[in-house]
């Protein structure tokens, strides 16, 4: 087996990250685990086919012994005992990484996935920044505005938890036997190779967030990857800690099993609410009226199906000695608009108050200005305690029907919501193609997960001939095509840059137009797969 690169990106220290020894380690990971990953991706197709046939999901009787067993995950290290506020964001550019580390949050989710476009430049720059952060040397000089960015010394830095790409994503710039590498193994392998020892010696990791998993067998694969990587580099078994995102509907039925598979490494589960909604739509998109999701803005965490999901997550985590981590409130402040900022603070405060009172041990924010809000809320519930794992929830008894009760979600489908979905899906995809994986749109933080909801809802509405509550019009492919033209024209006027529009917005609009067609053959499992294929050599090497 051979490993080759398409090129080395123009990033300082790229040669160090892509050293022969580091690449040899990545190659070993692929030799050992890539075929299992392929098998598991094929199993996803079979699982979805079963849902189409039966129209439902349930807890697996074959794993009842695990759900009913008396076991716990390994205790969390000191650096992860207090996670009351976690800030999320990309690890590139360096000033973004420094701002996250300096934010006052307990944890920084350094994102190589939903909030980061995986251009080769971005991937390697992120790994350079994470390696410098682990060494305590990360800094940045912004020649454009004359500002210097450095790690603070007057207060603790956020503990770094790295989110590699999901199992489904490839890395086109690393070829193994001529085939594209597995993005997750490239991200993890390069980060672990360069940082495992220095982080473990500091008691700071390495720690990871694991996204997009759909079964406990995918957790088992990560368990095997961690165990192999530790042994290969001489790191003590059980040094790694991982938090899994429960952001697929199938994973919601396997929380116990996923923790069990990773019990030597697991430190918690996270309620990845936006991808979770997308997953429900994806799995049940042809299942009829009972699974028609209302407008995205209407589906609050207080909806019965979302309450069932979060209550089950907290109860499962605390029973197993793991942390329950709350999800992202998409609203963000705008320092130029005090009224918008005040409204964002109140919405985030309400969201975090619900989570803290339900038993979550901490939660996510997307902006440094929201860190104090989240801290204040969790301080009021936790007091001097670092977490509330001791708060057991034996009264929680969630059924399959409750997890799948989409019909009880308040709200309706509207043409106004359709137009918002089209605008967001095109605008976000365009920004993603330009190299930025998270962007504020109408004072909401949009990333790949929220774009996924937007485009999948439209597909579902067309396919099921949904009638819009605000206009009485049936949502058809023709209606959506006309609406898309209007939203694209609006974006063209707002962007007011013909070169950028042609390079990013036009291909984004074409892609979204296809993905929302309502035709079976046009429903892609993940928006980022065809979007990644759209990244030309020039874009990938930016």
């Amino acid at each position: 087996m051979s490993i080759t690169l398409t090129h080395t990106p123009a990033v300082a220290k790229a040669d160090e990250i892509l050293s022969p020894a580091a690449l040899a380690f990545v190659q070993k990971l692929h030799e050992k685990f890539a075929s299992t990953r392929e098998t598991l991706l094929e199993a996803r197709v079979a699982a979805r086919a079963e849902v189409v046939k039966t129209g439902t999901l349930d807890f697996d009787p074959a794993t009842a012994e695990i759900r009913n067993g008396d076991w716990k995950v390994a205790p969390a290290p000191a650096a992860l005992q207090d996670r009351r506020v976690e800030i999320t964001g990309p690890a590139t550019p360096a000033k973004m990484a420094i701002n996250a580390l300096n934010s006052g949050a307990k944890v920084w989710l350094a994102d190589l996935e939903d909030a980061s476009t995986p251009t080769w430049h971005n991937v390697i720059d992120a790994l350079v920044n994470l390696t410098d952060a682990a060494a305590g040397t990360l800094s940045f000089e912004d020649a454009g505005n004359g500002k210097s960015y450095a790690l603070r010394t007057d207060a603790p830095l956020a503990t770094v938890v790295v989110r590699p790409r999901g199992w489904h994503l490839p890395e086109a710039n690393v070829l193994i036997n001529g085939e594209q590498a597995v993005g997750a193994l490239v991200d993890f392998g390069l980060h672990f190779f360069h940082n495992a020892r220095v982080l473990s010696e500091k008691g700071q990791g390495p720690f990871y967030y694991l996204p997009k998993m759909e079964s406990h067998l995918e957790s088992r694969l990560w368990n095997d990857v961690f165990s192999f990587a530790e042994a290969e580099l001489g790191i003590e078994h059980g040094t790694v800690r991982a938090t899994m995102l429960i952001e697929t509907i199938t994973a919601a039925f396997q929380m116990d099993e996923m923790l069990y598979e990773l019990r030597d490494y697991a430190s918690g589960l996270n309620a990845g609410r936006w991808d979770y909604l997308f997953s429900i739509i994806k799995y049940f998109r042809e299942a009829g009226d009972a699974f028609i999701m209302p407008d995205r803005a209407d589906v609050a965490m207080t909806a019965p199906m979302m309450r069932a999901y979060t209550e089950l997550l907290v109860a499962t985590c605390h029973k197993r000695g793991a942390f329950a981590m709350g999800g992202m409130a998409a609203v963000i402040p705008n320092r130029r608009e005090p009224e918008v900022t005040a409204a964002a603070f109140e919405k985030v405060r309400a969201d975090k108050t619900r989570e803290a009172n339900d038993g979550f041990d901490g939660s996510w924010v997307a902006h440094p200005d929201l860190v104090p809000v989240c801290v204040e809320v969790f301080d009021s519930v936790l007091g001097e305690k670092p977490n509330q794992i001791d708060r057991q929830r034996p009264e929680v008894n969630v059924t399959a029907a409750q997890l799948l009760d989409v019909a009880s979600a308040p709200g309706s489908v509207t043409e106004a919501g359709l137009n918002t979905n089209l605008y967001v899906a095109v605008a976000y995809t365009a920004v993603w193609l330009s190299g930025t994986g998270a962007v504020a749109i109408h004072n909401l933080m949009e990333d790949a997960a929220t774009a996924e909801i937007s485009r999948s809802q439209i597909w579902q509405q067309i396919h099921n001939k949904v009638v819009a509550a605000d206009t009485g019009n049936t949502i058809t492919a023709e209606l959506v095509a006309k609406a898309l033209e209007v939203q694209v024209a609006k974006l063209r006027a707002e962007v007011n840059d013909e070169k950028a529009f042609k390079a990013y917005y036009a291909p984004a609009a074409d892609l979204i137009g296809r993905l929302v067609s309502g035709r079976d053959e046009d429903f892609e499992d993940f928006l980022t797969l065809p979007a990644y294929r759209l990244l030309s050599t020039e874009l990938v090497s930016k």
Side-chain angles (χ1 to χ4, degrees):
M1 183 174 283
S2 63
I3 182 167
T4 57
L5 306 179
T6 59
H7 65 284
T8 299
V11 174
K13 300 184 181 179
D15 287 337
E16 296 176 23
I17 296 298
L18 296 168
S19 67
L23 292 175
F25 180 68
V26 170
Q27 181 177 337
K28 286 182 180 179
L29 292 176
H30 279 77
E31 290 173 350
K32 188 83 174 171
F33 301 111
S35 62
T36 303
R37 174 257 194 181
E38 289 300 316
T39 300
L40 291 173
L41 292 183
E42 292 168 4
R44 290 182 178 184
V45 177
R48 154 83 178 138
E50 185 65 19
V51 167
V52 171
K53 185 172 71 174
T54 63
T56 191
L57 281 168
D58 207 343
F59 298 95
D60 187 354
T63 54
E65 187 175 345
I66 292 173
R67 292 193 299 277
N68 298 328
D70 183 17
W71 54 269
K72 293 186 182 298
V73 301
L80 285 180
Q81 285 289 329
D82 189 337
R83 305 176 63 173
R84 67 189 67 202
V85 57
E86 301 189 344
I87 191 167
T88 72
T92 177
K95 65 180 180 181
M96 292 277 288
I98 294 167
N99 287 341
L101 288 163
N102 291 347
S103 66
K106 295 292 185 180
V107 166
W108 169 38
L109 186 160
D111 198 1
L112 279 72
E113 203 230 10
D114 270 1
S116 182
T117 305
T119 63
W120 196 217
H121 175 282
N122 284 353
V123 170
I124 300 305
D125 192 52
L127 289 164
V128 168
N129 294 335
L130 290 169
T131 301
D132 286 348
T137 60
L138 182 61
S139 63
F140 180 71
E141 298 292 331
D142 191 335
N145 61 20
K147 284 187 177 181
S148 297
Y149 296 80
L151 300 177
R152 69 191 300 176
T153 57
D154 61 330
L157 301 173
T159 296
V160 178
V161 181
V162 178
R163 178 159 71 169
R165 281 170 280 182
W167 283 128
H168 60 289
L169 289 168
E171 176 46 68
N173 295 284
V174 179
L175 303 177
I176 299 180
N177 277 2
E179 299 291 328
Q180 293 182 359
V182 179
L185 295 180
V186 171
D187 295 347
F188 166 77
L190 292 175
H191 180 265
F192 188 88
F193 181 85
H194 290 291
N195 298 292
R197 189 161 303 282
V198 65
L199 289 171
S200 64
E201 289 173 353
K202 292 180 177 182
Q204 292 289 315
F207 305 138
Y208 298 97
Y209 256 110
L210 306 178
K212 303 286 190 295
M213 289 190 288
E214 299 191 16
S215 81
H216 67 285
L217 298 180
E218 295 180 23
S219 301
R220 181 183 296 174
L221 177 56
W222 272 118
N223 178 84
D224 295 344
V225 169
F226 294 154
S227 182
F228 175 83
E230 288 173 335
E232 190 71 15
L233 297 189
I235 304 297
E236 183 179 354
H237 179 81
T239 298
V240 170
R241 284 294 183 277
T243 304
M244 292 173 279
L245 289 105
I246 301 300
E247 53 186 352
T248 64
I249 185 61
T250 49
F253 286 86
Q254 301 182 47
M255 295 186 201
D256 275 303
E257 293 91 329
M258 292 172 75
L259 285 171
Y260 183 81
E261 294 292 350
L262 266 170
R263 59 194 179 278
D264 287 354
Y265 299 108
S267 63
L269 302 176
N270 170 274
R273 61 180 69 170
W274 303 115
D275 265 309
Y276 184 74
L277 290 172
F278 160 57
S279 176
I280 294 173
I281 298 169
K282 178 165 66 174
Y283 259 80
F284 293 95
R285 61 185 182 266
E286 309 111 324
D289 291 347
F291 287 94
I292 300 298
M293 193 77 69
D295 286 353
R296 187 185 104 184
D298 288 344
V299 186
M301 295 305 292
T302 52
M305 65 175 182
M306 300 306 282
R307 291 291 296 159
Y309 156 62
T310 55
E311 292 279 85
L312 180 61
L313 190 147
V314 171
T316 303
C317 284
H318 288 185
K319 181 180 180 181
R320 305 307 181 186
F323 299 118
M325 302 307 302
M328 179 69 74
V331 291
I332 55 173
N334 185 328
R335 292 170 180 172
R336 294 184 298 275
E337 299 183 32
E339 291 183 3
V340 169
T341 296
F345 281 5
E346 287 311 305
K347 288 180 180 178
V348 170
R349 182 173 284 107
D351 184 66
K352 305 311 173 191
T353 298
R354 173 191 53 77
E355 289 178 331
N357 288 335
D358 282 349
F360 281 94
D361 300 289
S363 191
W364 285 6
V365 297
H367 193 285
D369 289 354
L370 295 174
V371 170
V373 178
C374 191
V375 168
E376 175 191 336
V377 168
F378 275 89
D379 280 353
S380 68
V381 172
L382 296 178
E384 297 299 315
K385 296 195 306 180
N387 56 66
Q388 49 184 338
I389 285 181
D390 60 345
R391 185 181 169 194
Q392 301 291 297
R393 299 292 307 277
E395 78 282 5
V396 172
N397 182 26
V398 172
T399 65
Q402 289 173 315
L403 288 172
L404 298 175
D405 186 16
V406 176
S408 67
S412 55
V413 174
T414 67
E415 271 195 67
L418 165 71
N419 288 323
T420 297
N421 278 343
L422 285 169
Y423 181 97
V424 168
V426 175
Y428 174 79
T429 303
V431 172
W432 190 95
L433 289 172
S434 76
T436 300
V439 61
I441 301 176
H442 299 157
N443 299 308
L444 296 176
M445 183 58 73
E446 305 286 355
D447 67 6
T450 53
E452 292 282 29
I453 299 172
S454 296
R455 63 96 179 182
S456 60
Q457 276 200 299
I458 300 168
W459 190 100
Q460 183 187 44
Q461 290 158 9
I462 294 173
H463 189 85
N464 291 278
K465 299 180 174 60
V466 174
V467 176
D470 56 343
T471 65
N473 292 329
T474 300
I475 296 176
T476 63
E478 293 73 24
L479 182 148
V480 169
K482 291 178 181 177
L484 178 60
E485 289 180 4
V486 172
Q487 297 307 313
V488 171
K490 183 187 296 186
L491 283 164
R492 183 190 290 271
E494 291 173 359
V495 172
N496 196 27
D497 181 335
E498 196 58 34
K499 184 178 179 181
F501 188 87
K502 182 178 180 181
Y504 308 123
Y505 288 83
D510 288 344
L511 175 60
I512 295 302
R514 178 174 69 80
L515 296 187
V516 302
S517 72
R519 297 188 298 263
D520 288 343
E521 64 270 22
D522 287 335
F523 193 95
E524 293 270 3
D525 279 347
F526 295 95
L527 164 64
T528 46
L529 287 172
Y532 189 62
R533 292 192 290 269
L534 276 180
L535 290 173
S536 67
T537 302
E538 290 80 15
L539 283 173
V540 172
S541 62
K542 275 183 66 177

